[in-house]
Amino acid sequence: MTAIDRMFLWTFFRSYIIVLISLVGLFIVIDLFTHLDAFVNKPGGFVASARHITYYYGNRVPEYFDLFGNFVTLIAGAFTVAWMQRNNELLPLLSAGVPTRRAIRPVLLGAAVTLALGPLNQEFLIPEVADALTTQRDDPDQAKAQALMGAYDSSGIHFEGLSGFRKDKRVKKMCVTFPEHSRSGMVHLTAQDAVFLPKQGDDPLTGGWLLTDATPDTFTSEIPLNLTVLGTGRFFVKVQDADYDAVCRGGAWYIYAATSDLQTMLVDPEPRRRGKLAVLFHTRVTRPLIGMVMVVFGLSVVLGNPNRHVIISSGLCLIVSAATFLFVIACKYLGDQDVLPPPLAAWLPVILFGPPALVAFDAVHT
């Protein structure tokens, strides 16, 4: 790598950091002032509010980075190349016989590095702050009631409830349905109050749900598997993976999971979200490729006509990239609605936009 390569690479990384901080900061400021009432007028005064704001938005920085990552790379690359043209830095290289594609190789290298940060962020950072990302702005202590989506345990038992309280791992009016293939047949239990007890050593009454004030309050027939009768209207249901987090998660909770967890969830007996999980799994694989296609296509538009004004070239670059991004969203929507198979929904943008991007890059003026 030559000195001018290092200069172009440093220019790209500097542009990337500036654009990233600007976009994330702007998004935080707009969101903060839009929902300022959720952070102020709390017990503890200004210090407590500042701590709440810092905790809330600090945990959301990985989510914002995941949201803006590809666009930040594209904008940084387009800005770097446009600045090179603006300052006539490409002209001496072209005069010396250096092809344009070789001159912008450091920009492509920097784009590959920054695009690789997206999967690392998704795999390691976002799962660590997933619980904080599901916390409401006005509920930092997680003491307010939240809507429940319900979940299946790997044993086939289904859990759902009226409302849940994450702080206490408690659910009001929980309905438990044992599957037909269980030894007692299909059985329904409705408990006015349920508390999840985490696993503690070899204690048989942990790692499951404690149901109180339940109906029916007793069993005259065979007791379902994994159910322990503790008294009249009191039961304990042993579970494997249907803990409080699984029952209370929102409809799109799996977007915060790591790709390895998504692969495990694809064999889960719950069929309701299997199609969307498959689409998300495949889009995780193709996302860096789509990001690189957008960068290559965008830079090809900027460099395609050296006589065109820089602003016009940058605008055309953003238009082409926006069209690609909208097509990706459309394919994902069709995949979520089972119109397209999940692999095709994820790979179709790469198949359609990849070859034109390579052709446009090969046609760049040198």
Side-chain angles (χ1 to χ4, degrees):
M1 182 175 287
T2 63
I4 195 167
D5 288 336
R6 291 193 293 270
M7 183 189 71
F8 289 159
L9 186 61
W10 165 246
T11 302
F12 171 82
F13 284 133
R14 182 179 58 188
S15 302
Y16 181 86
I17 294 173
I18 293 174
V19 174
L20 179 63
I21 294 176
S22 300
L23 282 179
V24 173
L26 180 63
F27 195 89
I28 290 176
V29 169
I30 294 175
D31 187 81
L32 174 61
F33 282 96
T34 304
H35 305 92
L36 191 59
D37 292 342
F39 298 99
V40 299
N41 299 326
K42 301 293 182 180
F46 175 79
V47 175
S49 297
R51 187 183 300 113
H52 182 196
I53 292 172
T54 303
Y55 175 81
Y56 180 84
Y57 288 107
N59 287 317
R60 274 161 177 75
V61 169
E63 183 182 25
Y64 298 153
F65 178 82
D66 183 72
L67 179 64
F68 298 127
N70 286 0
F71 274 109
V72 173
T73 299
L74 171 64
I75 294 173
F79 178 82
T80 302
V81 172
W83 192 257
M84 292 162 61
Q85 286 185 327
R86 174 68 175 79
N87 294 332
N88 293 323
E89 293 173 341
L90 285 177
L91 186 59
L93 296 176
L94 296 177
S95 301
V98 179
T100 304
R101 291 185 290 274
R102 170 60 183 89
I104 66 169
R105 186 181 299 174
V107 179
L108 296 178
L109 176 61
V113 171
T114 54
L115 288 174
L117 296 178
L120 295 177
N121 174 67
Q122 181 65 65
E123 297 302 312
F124 298 104
L125 292 183
I126 291 182
E128 293 296 325
V129 297
D131 290 338
L133 294 177
T134 59
T135 302
Q136 302 176 19
R137 293 181 180 85
D138 57 348
D139 186 26
D141 298 328
Q142 301 179 341
K144 291 187 176 182
Q146 58 182 153
L148 304 181
M149 291 297 298
Y152 282 92
D153 188 59
S154 57
S155 60
I157 306 174
H158 181 257
F159 297 86
E160 61 181 348
L162 178 63
S163 59
F165 302 85
R166 181 182 293 273
K167 184 177 181 179
D168 303 324
K169 299 185 183 299
R170 181 170 60 89
V171 175
K172 293 183 60 177
K173 200 170 184 179
M174 171 173 275
C175 299
V176 183
T177 302
F178 294 87
E180 294 181 355
H181 57 76
S182 64
R183 66 184 184 185
S184 59
M186 181 173 287
V187 175
H188 298 280
L189 270 177
T190 302
Q192 296 301 318
D193 193 77
V195 178
F196 181 76
L197 304 178
K199 180 70 175 177
Q200 296 181 359
D202 297 330
D203 190 346
L205 296 182
T206 59
W209 290 91
L210 176 62
L211 311 179
T212 57
D213 196 11
T215 55
D217 56 4
T218 187
F219 281 89
T220 57
S221 58
E222 189 171 6
I223 299 175
L225 189 66
N226 297 333
L227 181 68
T228 302
V229 180
L230 302 179
T232 303
R234 297 182 74 249
F235 303 94
F236 179 79
V237 183
K238 193 78 171 180
V239 298
Q240 298 181 24
D241 46 23
D243 57 5
Y244 181 84
D245 290 333
V247 175
C248 81
R249 286 164 172 164
W253 62 269
Y254 49 84
I255 65 176
Y256 303 127
T259 304
S260 58
D261 295 333
L262 289 179
Q263 188 176 10
T264 304
M265 296 173 194
L266 287 175
V267 297
D268 191 273
E270 182 180 3
R272 292 181 300 171
R273 306 187 185 101
R274 186 171 298 162
K276 294 183 178 181
L277 283 171
V279 173
L280 182 60
F281 175 80
H282 287 283
T283 54
R284 291 276 182 86
V285 178
T286 60
R287 183 174 179 181
L289 298 177
I290 293 174
M292 185 55 70
V293 167
M294 293 172 60
V295 170
V296 172
F297 217 155
L299 296 185
S300 301
V301 171
V302 174
L303 296 169
N305 186 356
N307 298 321
R308 189 166 48 205
H309 197 280
V310 172
I311 296 179
I312 297 178
S313 298
S314 300
L316 292 176
C317 169
L318 293 179
I319 291 174
V320 171
S321 303
T324 307
F325 183 71
L326 291 176
F327 187 79
V328 171
I329 294 179
C331 289
K332 185 177 184 303
Y333 174 79
L334 294 177
D336 291 340
Q337 301 301 318
D338 295 328
V339 177
L340 293 177
L344 182 60
W347 286 94
L348 188 59
V350 179
I351 296 173
L352 291 183
F353 287 92
L358 294 178
V359 171
F361 187 70
D362 185 67
V364 168
H365 175 77
T366 59

